[in-house]
Amino acid sequence: MSSSNLLRRNVRILLVGDQGVGKTSLILSLVSEEFPEEVPPKAEEITIPADVTPEHVPTNIVDYSSIEQSDDNLIEEIAKAHVVCVVYAVDDESSLDRLSSHWLPFIREHSQGENRKPIVLVGNKIDLVDYSTIDHVLTIMEDFNEVESCVECSAKTLHNISEMFYYAQKAVLHPTAPLYIMEEQD
Ligand code: GTP
Ligand code: MG
């Protein structure tokens, strides 16, 4: 990772993932500290001021909606992002399969070389299941070393929500060898 990352004065986080996995809910839960029952397809871009982020770096959070945006739009947003959170829903196996069949190859294809983006894999809706998808995700991480970390969370219960955004910041500011975060479930 280039030294410019160590001096970076802002972090731009892009959330992508299949429809309905909870991208917009995650962003609005972080901001309002409660689960929004109704969400628009796409959240407005949000700037979190430096003094309330764990790394004291102003952080922009950008949502993606396949209904409102074209693939060209998405490619532009990937180029502008410093880190991409690829969200799946732990109760939706197809959204998990699409990490390796679609999202990770797509991001890799559109952020080659110097533009390579660190990735955080985010398993949302952990409130709905009593199992973990982390073992499956670890096998995916063996094939995609741009994945810096993974986390399971819930926009609904707020479990691991601030952690998820912290891992995204950390992937930009302090990139490391891949790691994973496994937690006891409630
Ligand atoms: P698109 O904008 O269509 O791509 O979807 P999205 O990824 O933004 O998902 P959205 O935030 O619209 O959430 C989809 C549905 O999942 C909504 O009904 C949410 O209330 C629900 N949802 C989101 N997060 C959670 C969660 O952590 N737990 C549960 N149980 N439901 C959730
Ligand atoms: Mg949405």
Side-chain angles (χ1 to χ4, degrees), residues 27-90:
I27 295 172
L28 297 182
S29 280
L30 175 81
V31 173
S32 63
E33 294 181 341
E34 63 183 4
F35 180 60
E37 290 297 337
E38 305 235 323
V39 294
K42 185 172 184 285
E44 295 293 324
E45 182 174 327
I46 283 158
T47 305
I48 314 268
D51 54 350
V52 294
T53 71
E55 294 283 340
H56 302 292
V57 176
T59 299
N60 290 51
I61 302 177
V62 181
D63 197 4
Y64 160 73
S65 156
S66 61
I67 294 174
E68 295 195 353
Q69 288 171 278
S70 64
D71 268 7
D72 283 349
N73 259 182
L74 174 58
I75 291 163
E76 279 170 30
E77 287 298 344
I78 292 171
K80 287 197 307 196
H82 302 131
V83 54
V84 182
C85 292
V86 187
V87 183
Y88 63 97
V90 293

Side-chain angles (χ1 to χ4, degrees), residues 111-136:
S111 54
Q112 304 264 354
E114 284 281 283
N115 294 319
R116 180 180 175 275
K117 307 293 165 169
I119 290 173
V120 178
L121 298 181
V122 178
N124 186 36
K125 309 198 189 183
I126 197 72
D127 59 288
L128 292 179
V129 303
D130 57 7
Y131 54 80
S132 169
T133 57
I134 291 296
D135 284 345
H136 188 154

Side-chain angles (χ1 to χ4, degrees), residues 1-2 5-6 118 148 170-177:
M1 228 17 96
S2 70
N5 279 331
L6 303 175
E148 279 277 331
K170 228 169 94 100
V172 178
L173 300 170
H174 311 290
T176 57

